[in-house]
Amino acid sequence: MSDHEQQRARYLAGAEGAPPVPPPGGYHGARRQASAPARESAVAPNPISPDPKQPANALGWIALAIAVLFALTLLGTLVAGGTDVLYGVTMLTAQLVVVGTVVAALFSPRARKLGAIALIVTVLFNVATVGGMSALQTSAAGSYQGAKSADQKHAEAYPGIKGTDPQETLGQQSLEEVRAQSEELFADIRTRLTQEFGYTWVPVGDEDLRPERNGYGGESMLVEYTSAAWATEQPVQGYARKQAVMAAINDEVVRHGLWELYSFNDPTGSGIDPSMIAKLYGSDDPRTQHTWEYYTENYPDPMRFYANIYDLSNDRDGGFLAAREAQTARTGEPLEGLQLVVIASGVLGEADRDEFETKLQEYPGFE
């Protein structure tokens, strides 16, 4: 028996059905077949080259151009003060066209980038935001005219005040008469209080003339007059001293044709709720209040007279002192003491009387 047969016999003995041992050198063609996959795997597939970047299409540029043009139109209208144009049908329709174009660009892959830029421009500059800015501008300047009828514009120039009979205005004290009477009243009060109590005085602020609104959206020819105030350089403290000072002032105002003084800070006569009096004047008891406020007028004439006493000795927590220091910083007035001022609403200057009467003829039935 040859060696090959002996090896084969040993393999078969006890192999229990195992496949035969391959011949020396292996089966014919096995090496070639085993190496074939390796050769095939060595060939790498060609990589797929990416698509070249595609440029934005015309829709994106159109959306951006329309958005920028519309924004410039809105800004131009804002500068021109055309609030009524901004809220017109044409502008709102144009806004819808811009929005529609921008939305269409956002849904197009090639136009999406420019569409996003156009969207930002549209959000920043649209009818709502620019129209609001224009409304604030024209309201502050008083130049909004577009939505007003001819009758409304005519009413705006009414020389009087709605609800006030023009004949009452013509029959009451003029601006010059109020000014003259207040100066005489101040002089007499200062003289008397200086003689009786030794007070010295300083002027506070300047005279102020503020145009009165006519109730029809415009300004009348009448003004509100506020006199320069007068203040004592010394404190006025103590309940008895305050009463004596106010009694002397009351004598003078009555002598000048005004009614007797009325106290806002006294709960027994003012009719104001005591809790409100305490909030305004520091206490509901005049003996411990930091502020006394007295008032009178010469109705039916327009003059109103105020006499106030500020008393830091009744400041409980320092809050009133802080308020007075802030007021003094603004006006230069003394921290405490007595102050006198006159206010008259709806007064007409003598130089304007003829023009006032002439203009009234254009407004029959107005009052």
Side-chain angles (χ1 to χ4, degrees), residues 15 29 55 106 115 145 152 175 184 217 271 278 284 308 312 332:
L106 291 175
Q145 300 289 337
Q152 289 174 320
L175 169 64
E184 291 176 3
D284 60 0
N308 295 342
L312 293 177

Side-chain angles (χ1 to χ4, degrees), residues 305-319:
F305 171 85
Y306 294 86
N308 295 342
I309 295 176
Y310 305 111
D311 182 3
L312 293 177
S313 67
N314 286 334
D315 182 20
R316 297 180 179 179
D317 56 8

